[in-house]
Amino acid sequence: MILDRFRIPGRAAVVTGAGRGIGAATAVALAQAGADVAICARTEDQLHAVAEQVEAAGRRALVVPADLSGPGAAEDLARRAAEAFGRLDVVVNNVGGALPRAFLDTGRKHLENAFQFNVGIAHDLTRAAVPYLIETGGGTVVNISSVMGRVAGRGYLAYGTAKAALAHYTRLAALDLAPRIRVNALAVGSVATSALDIVMTDDDLRTRMEQATPLKRIGDPEEVAAAVLFLASPAGGYVTGTVLDVDGGLDRPNLDLGLPDL
C-alpha cells in the first residue's frame, strides 16, 4: 500500500529545536510513523513534555538538553542517539532564527551569529551523523529553512541570508552525500509557533498576515511535520537536493515591519 511508504518502523531520528513548535510536532510525527526519537533543545522541561508524546505513540524518546552551539555538542548528540537506539536514520535540523533588524543596525557579528545558528549547527550535526547514517545503509537529512531565504523583506537581512545559505547548503550536501544519504529542506512560511505569539494574540496583525498569504491563513506546525515525514520516509525516496516550499503560497513577506526609507 502506498501509505506504507510513509511509515518508518524501527528507525531512529534526531530532531533539534524539539522543545516546541515545528520541532516538537516533527518529533511526534516521526514517532507516530514508527521511529524512536532523540529530541534536543535548551529547555529541558519542554523536552520532557514532548518525550511523553513520543512515548504515547509507542516509541522511545531520548531527552538531550543542550546548547548545540557549544564545542562538541552536536557530535555528542549524534553519538548519544546512535548509542541509545543502536542506529541513526533521520536527522532533522530545526534549530535556527535571528531577530529582525534594520540594515544599519545589522553588524557583521549579527550576520556571523545568524550563519552559525542556522547553518553552522546544521552542518556540525549532519557531519557528525554521517558515519552512523551510512552504518544503517544510508539515511536522510531534513533542514528547516525559510521562505525568507528566497524572498526579500526589510529587516530580514541576517535571517534571510542565513536561510538562503542553508537552502543552498542542502543542495551542495545532497550531491556530496549521494547516493547513500538524501538531503532535503523545507522553506517554511508563517507558522503558528512561539515566534509568532505576538501575531497570534493580535487580531489585526494576524488578519493582515492571513490576507497577505494566498491560502489566507497561518500554517500549523503539524503541516510542516507532515512534509518532514514525507522527505524522511520511503515516500520521498527519490527526492534529494530539493527545497520544498511549505509557505501557504507566499512570493513576498506577509508582514511589513514598517522600517522607513533611509
Side-chain angles (χ1 to χ4, degrees), residues 10-11 19 22 35 38 41 49 62 79 95 99 111 113 121 132 145-146 149 161 193 199 207 215 222 224 231 249:
R11 307 280 179 87
I22 290 170
L62 174 67
R79 177 187 57 78
V95 164
L99 292 174
L111 288 168
N113 289 343
I121 291 173
Y132 303 113
S145 185
S146 168
T161 298
T193 68
V199 170
T207 298
L215 288 186
E222 290 189 351
V224 181
L231 293 174

Side-chain angles (χ1 to χ4, degrees), residues 212-248:
T213 303
L215 288 186
K216 303 302 182 187
R217 64 181 178 85
I218 305 298
D220 186 279
E222 290 189 351
E223 293 174 307
V224 181
V228 173
L229 178 59
F230 163 66
L231 293 174
S233 70
Y238 202 52
V239 181
T240 197
T242 291
V243 180
L244 177 64
D245 294 329
V246 185
D247 59 15

Side-chain angles (χ1 to χ4, degrees), residues 17 65 80 85 99 154 166 173 203 205 227 232:
R80 290 180 62 182
F85 303 136
L99 292 174
R154 280 187 176 176
L166 181 61
D203 290 342
L205 278 178

Side-chain angles (χ1 to χ4, degrees), residues 191-214:
V191 176
T193 68
S194 59
L196 282 188
D197 278 349
I198 190 172
V199 170
M200 300 307 292
T201 56
D202 185 309
D203 290 342
D204 179 60
L205 278 178
R206 188 180 68 253
T207 298
R208 284 162 54 194
M209 289 188 74
E210 289 171 342
Q211 291 305 307
T213 303

Side-chain angles (χ1 to χ4, degrees), residues 20 94 96 110 116 155 170 202 236 258:
R20 57 189 179 181
N94 177 56
H110 296 116
Q116 168 60 14
T170 296
D202 185 309

